[in-house]
Amino acid sequence: MPCFDKKLEASREEFSVQSSVADCRVPDVDLVLATNELLYLLESFCHESDGSVVFSPSTHAAELEENNILILSRLCEVFHGQWNVCNRINNMPSEAKGVVPMYRHSGSGSGGYAAYIFRFAAEKLFSINLDLNLSEDEHVIVRQLQNRDLQEMLLFNTKDDRDLAASLLASRSNRIPYRHLEVEPKALLVFAVANGFRNIQTIVQYLRKIYQVAKYERKKLKQTKSIYPFDYVEVMACPNGCLNGGGQIKELLKETNEVYASLTVAEPMSNDLVQSLYAFIKSRDPDRKSLHTTYRLFPKLKLSIPVL
């Protein structure tokens, strides 16, 4: 999802490689366009001619720097179909053939993979094959915790277990994670999805208290449950997810959600390009280190207040 945060990511040293011809590092990404920036670009450089939309940066060349002209010229090629990615993609939904593919995977509008990983884990760990739409699967409960931007996904062994859990939850507080209710039947898997910093803070508080109980056995936290409520947590910074992000078209949030939900659902690993890329990485990087994220601690900024 194009986002302002992607600009920060693209500028980080971790997202670059050492140049083979100069003593410098080359960024992995040359340009990040947020959705609202792309809309502005299209409105500025597109015009209608003979019933079709024409993208031509040349008419505005005098207003642009040389690098921007090159970027816009490349975009012009893309929009005119001279770089059609569909020619190199197989196993795509039939309605996407012949055009730049527009599809989504199951889950929220944030482009996260919690739903896919949930289904993958259910199959590999418990031999349970789940529907693409998790909320309609007989083994799954998708439950709101406190608000719609904080959800947990529960996997049960049988339909009877799922129905029993649903009846129990109907009379329980939605502020307490399922595992902390300490009821039967037990959930095989519990995933959480938190959108917005307030909900992320709630998740962090859950985990911090449990960690303190487990490590320090503090008596003050005696009421805190000693088991982690979630097996996997996905967090997104923006309330309502990435479709409501800083780089999106805020005035069209409702329409954006509807359009995104209408797209055909595709399995991420069913794409031939993804499978080829994954096979290539495994051949060059048997330990798959390149697929793991690393973190670098940044020192906190010290703000000094001037004395008047």
Side-chain angles (χ1 to χ4, degrees):
M1 183 66 67
C3 176
F4 288 150
D5 282 346
K6 295 296 182 183
K7 296 177 183 288
L8 298 176
E9 289 182 10
S11 66
R12 291 182 62 129
E13 184 179 349
E14 289 86 345
F15 294 90
S16 64
V17 294
Q18 182 62 41
S19 172
S20 59
V21 296
D23 186 20
C24 64
R25 297 188 67 83
V26 180
D28 292 339
V29 178
D30 296 313
L31 174 69
V32 176
L33 281 177
T35 304
N36 53 8
E37 293 173 326
L38 180 60
L39 177 63
Y40 173 78
L41 183 147
L42 294 176
E43 290 176 341
S44 301
F45 297 99
C46 288
H47 64 276
E48 189 172 346
S49 176
D50 297 328
S52 61
V53 177
V54 178
F55 182 80
S56 177
S58 58
T59 56
H60 299 266
E63 308 169 15
L64 303 171
E65 297 178 358
E66 183 178 356
N67 287 341
N68 290 337
I69 294 176
L70 293 175
I71 292 171
L72 291 174
S73 297
R74 183 57 177 151
L75 287 172
C76 184
E77 293 178 8
V78 173
F79 284 116
H80 284 160
Q82 296 178 19
W83 187 63
N84 191 345
V85 295
C86 284
N87 294 332
R88 304 202 307 271
I89 297 179
N90 297 321
N91 291 336
M92 290 296 301
S94 57
E95 52 266 49
K97 295 293 185 180
V99 297
V100 175
M102 294 289 290
Y103 61 100
R104 67 179 180 91
H105 50 75
S106 59
S108 69
S110 295
Y113 289 91
Y116 173 73
I117 296 172
F118 188 84
R119 293 199 317 277
F120 185 85
E123 179 184 357
K124 296 299 182 181
L125 298 178
F126 305 105
S127 300
I128 299 176
N129 295 312
L130 301 178
D131 294 336
L132 282 176
N133 189 347
L134 292 178
S135 60
E136 296 182 359
D137 193 278
E138 62 181 17
H139 293 87
V140 178
I141 294 176
V142 179
R143 176 184 179 229
Q144 288 188 5
L145 286 174
Q146 302 184 18
N147 57 72
R148 67 179 182 177
D149 276 336
L150 181 57
Q151 295 183 336
E152 64 175 355
M153 297 180 286
L154 310 171
L155 175 70
F156 294 93
N157 190 43
T158 64
K159 180 180 183 299
D160 290 340
D161 285 351
R162 186 259 183 204
D163 292 342
L164 177 57
S167 64
L168 291 171
L169 288 173
S171 60
R172 300 299 182 100
S173 170
N174 68 339
R175 303 186 67 85
I176 304 175
Y178 183 79
R179 281 185 175 153
H180 285 181
L181 293 173
E182 296 183 336
V183 295
E184 295 289 343
K186 301 296 185 183
L188 300 177
L189 283 176
V190 183
F191 279 30
V193 177
N195 293 327
F197 283 113
R198 180 174 297 180
N199 289 322
I200 294 173
Q201 187 178 36
T202 298
I203 294 288
V204 171
Q205 288 174 348
Y206 278 140
L207 303 181
R208 179 184 296 160
K209 288 181 180 179
I210 297 169
Y211 174 79
Q212 290 173 340
V213 169
K215 185 172 183 178
Y216 303 109
E217 298 182 355
R218 294 187 177 181
K219 294 182 179 180
K220 290 183 179 180
L221 299 174
K222 191 174 181 180
Q223 300 300 320
T224 302
K225 305 300 181 183
S226 59
I227 57 173
Y228 286 101
F230 313 115
D231 300 304
Y232 178 95
V233 178
E234 175 180 284
V235 297
M236 298 291 173
C238 299
N240 291 314
C242 290
L243 293 179
N244 189 41
Q248 307 309 314
I249 308 169
K250 295 297 185 68
E251 298 80 5
L252 301 175
L253 177 60
K254 181 176 181 294
E255 293 82 353
T256 302
N257 278 290
E258 291 174 352
V259 170
Y260 183 82
S262 69
L263 297 177
T264 301
V265 176
E267 284 282 4
M269 290 303 293
S270 66
N271 186 295
D272 285 351
L273 279 180
V274 174
Q275 292 184 2
S276 299
L277 177 61
Y278 192 62
F280 174 79
I281 291 174
K282 287 195 294 184
S283 67
R284 298 295 184 91
D285 180 14
D287 296 330
R288 298 168 177 77
K289 292 182 179 179
S290 56
L291 297 179
H292 292 262
T293 303
T294 58
Y295 295 90
R296 177 161 54 94
L297 183 64
F298 278 82
K300 293 183 179 180
L301 294 176
K302 294 183 178 180
L303 302 179
S304 59
I305 302 176
V307 178
L308 299 179

